[in-house]
Amino acid sequence: MSNPFQPSASVRVKPSATSIAVTGLLVLLAAITAYLFWSDINYLLAAQKGTLTRAGSVSFLHHMYLTTFALEIAYFRLITSASIFIFVVFSMRNNQAFSSHIAPVYLYGLTQLAFYILSMTAILGILNQVSDYKLLEISYWSGPTAKALAASILLIASMHLIPPAAFLLTCYLARSKINKQLELTTTNPSD
């Protein structure tokens, strides 16, 4: 028998049970965010010391990013990393909040990816300057040290680009799992 004090058109809101997969993805996302936060702290320390000025000579964009607005960008990166980390940690209890407020999280991941792409191009620009601008010539890569140099460049590139890409992929996976879980609870409500 239904409750006589409750109108028949009312909707009962039940908190959805969190799955282990969603919790695991959010823990992984928090770990990746903590790693990005740690690298943002290192970037802030490097910007305060002024050790990024050499990389600022690669291009005008690098000069703006690494010398002119270095501290402002470092503080921005630090604040966004801390806020996204806090949001992800609190989303472990309320998955719907993560799923419905995903745009800032994606924007954070995209800005982190852009920052790391800029740092990779600065590293390649410095290597090009050190090699007397022969980095893009085919004769430079046919030498005996080319294999070791290519391996180190690929290692540096993977170390820089995998964390933000993994962050974006984990965000997508967590959001899709949460949305599937929400669809299952709305289509099959258990009383």
Side-chain angles (χ1 to χ4, degrees), residues 98-143:
F98 182 82
S99 180
S100 60
H101 297 92
I102 195 72
V105 180
Y106 278 136
L107 287 174
Y108 166 75
L110 290 173
T111 57
Q112 286 288 336
L113 188 62
F115 290 141
Y116 281 105
I117 288 172
L118 274 173
S119 69
M120 274 309 305
T121 57
I123 290 169
L124 291 176
I126 290 172
L127 286 175
N128 197 23
Q129 288 175 356
V130 168
S131 68
D132 290 331
Y133 299 99
K134 296 180 182 180
L135 194 62
L136 300 177
E137 294 179 10
I138 196 76
S139 62
Y140 184 77
W141 292 101
S142 61

Side-chain angles (χ1 to χ4, degrees), residues 137-171:
E137 294 179 10
I138 196 76
S139 62
Y140 184 77
W141 292 101
S142 61
T145 61
K147 187 176 180 180
L149 181 63
S152 65
I153 288 174
L154 288 175
L155 179 68
I156 291 170
S158 66
M159 286 173 44
H160 279 79
L161 299 178
I162 286 177
F167 179 86
L168 289 170
L169 179 67
T170 309
C171 279

